[in-house]
Amino acid sequence: MVPGAGAERPAGGAGAVIVHLDEALVVADKPAGLPTVPGRPVELHDCLWHRVRASVPDALVVHRLDMGTSGLVLFARGIEAQRALSRAFAQREVGKTYVAVVSGEVIGEAGEIDLPLAADWPNRPKQKVDHAVGKPSLTRWRVLAREPGRTRLMLEPLTGRSHQLRVHLAAIGHPILGDTLYAAEAARHAAARLLLHASALALRDLRDGTARHWSSAVPF
């Protein structure tokens, strides 16, 4: 799924870029390095949610992006909308598209990564492939472009496991460049940031069921 461009871009509070705002939800564009929700260290107290709530006080968290990942994040307006949107995510009714630049030249034009994932408890917050107790996890990928030593991919996670895209790509030998958790030294330092961007979201409108879609330009 490759959702098309979104709509209005009203200004967000305290530096948040709000891509869409209506009575039920907010779609915001998160920069890399900003947490989605508050972190425990005081330096991570600033987050996208707080910035959005500066102008939309009833915004509630529905899903998250890793701090290093940039791109689109959806917030609900009020508890009823939060329940409905959380259900939509759980039932895989929300289309999510990412763009990543990975280490190495990926063979083939498209495919799937079907590897179960579980928490790597001794090394939290890391996750790992675990065929014994891991939860089913599926990622679709398609090559967008190739350069010497790297490949640009479009990614569609069909499940929503923690760090799913990062672990899946590392597991097949193509870690995302700039990934400080899962990439080896060379790939880790090949970029100044994690080269992973949530480029599009699509879902059915909570009010009338019409198809909605938003997109965000890839910043790398």
Side-chain angles (χ1 to χ4, degrees), residues 21-124:
L21 173 64
D22 63 33
E23 295 87 350
L25 58 84
V26 185
V27 180
D29 204 342
K30 186 182 88 66
L34 180 71
T36 304
V37 297
R40 289 180 182 175
V42 65
E43 62 269 20
L44 297 183
H45 185 69
D46 183 23
C47 64
L48 183 66
W49 184 34
H50 285 173
R51 294 185 184 188
V52 168
R53 289 186 70 187
S55 57
V56 189
D58 60 353
L60 298 175
V61 175
V62 177
H63 69 123
R64 307 178 187 189
L65 294 180
D66 295 340
M67 186 167 73
T69 304
S70 55
L72 299 178
V73 181
L74 186 151
F75 295 90
R77 296 195 66 185
I79 190 65
E80 291 304 318
Q82 185 187 43
R83 288 172 181 156
L85 290 169
S86 296
R87 240 183 346 260
F89 273 93
Q91 295 171 358
R92 303 182 189 179
E93 296 171 352
V94 180
K96 297 171 288 181
T97 305
Y98 293 74
V99 172
V101 180
V102 304
S103 176
E105 297 185 34
V106 176
I107 303 301
E109 296 304 316
E112 293 184 347
I113 306 169
D114 186 0
L115 294 170
L117 301 180
D120 186 357
W121 289 109
N123 301 296
R124 292 284 287 163

Side-chain angles (χ1 to χ4, degrees), residues 194-214:
L194 177 69
L195 297 189
L196 180 62
H197 182 73
S199 60
L201 281 173
L203 75 159
R204 293 287 176 184
D205 191 282
L206 296 181
R207 299 160 297 178
D208 59 18
T210 57
R212 306 301 304 273
H213 42 78
W214 302 274

